[in-house]
Amino acid sequence: QVQLVESGGGLVQAGGSLRLSCAASGRTFSSLPMGWFRLAPGKEREFVAAISWSGGSPSYADSVKGRFTISRDNAKNTVYLQMNSLKVEDTAVYYCNAVRFPDKGALFGSWGQGTQVTVSS
């Protein structure tokens, strides 16, 4: 099992940027595709972005394509999400998890505490 701790969220104006980090513990981290998910009020948790175990093959939800960039550093057991051109509708709690393919669901049933991203107009 991998333990996940997200950080880097905050309050930002529309058009601004944030960089999220997810620190993972557990020796299996570097062998797993990882991703970001988000949970907005009144909505179901949704897939945002994923990256292969080697750091290649990034994939994104259509709503964030061209604005968000996922990356990882296996030496640091960390996954990042660079978020640019933020929109009000990006407001949510962001979580990381290992990613299950092909449906891009979360592999682990347990979640970290997440990090809140709030975008103001």
Side-chain angles (χ1 to χ4, degrees):
Q1 188 76 354
V2 176
Q3 306 298 318
L4 304 163
V5 179
E6 301 91 347
S7 62
L11 174 63
V12 64
Q13 286 190 325
S17 299
L18 284 173
R19 189 193 194 205
L20 307 184
S21 298
C22 170
S25 62
R27 57 184 180 177
T28 61
F29 170 82
S30 61
S31 67
L32 294 170
M34 295 294 296
W36 288 91
F37 300 79
R38 65 187 182 186
L39 180 61
K43 296 185 178 181
E44 293 187 353
R45 187 157 17 212
E46 63 175 356
F47 168 81
V48 175
I51 191 167
S52 72
W53 68 271
S54 63
S57 304
S59 60
Y60 301 93
D62 288 343
S63 58
V64 307
K65 208 171 284 185
R67 300 187 296 120
F68 290 10
T69 303
I70 188 171
S71 61
R72 68 189 295 164
D73 185 339
N74 286 342
K76 296 182 179 180
N77 273 16
T78 302
V79 182
Y80 304 99
L81 186 67
Q82 177 67 45
M83 306 187 297
N84 298 329
S85 302
L86 281 161
K87 303 177 180 180
V88 172
E89 51 263 42
D90 294 318
T91 295
V93 180
Y94 285 70
Y95 302 86
C96 65
N97 205 315
V99 178
R100 181 183 63 232
F101 285 92
D103 64 311
K104 297 181 181 177
L107 182 63
F108 299 133
S110 60
W111 297 86
Q113 85 288 350
T115 187
Q116 175 71 50
V117 172
T118 302
V119 185
S120 63
S121 58

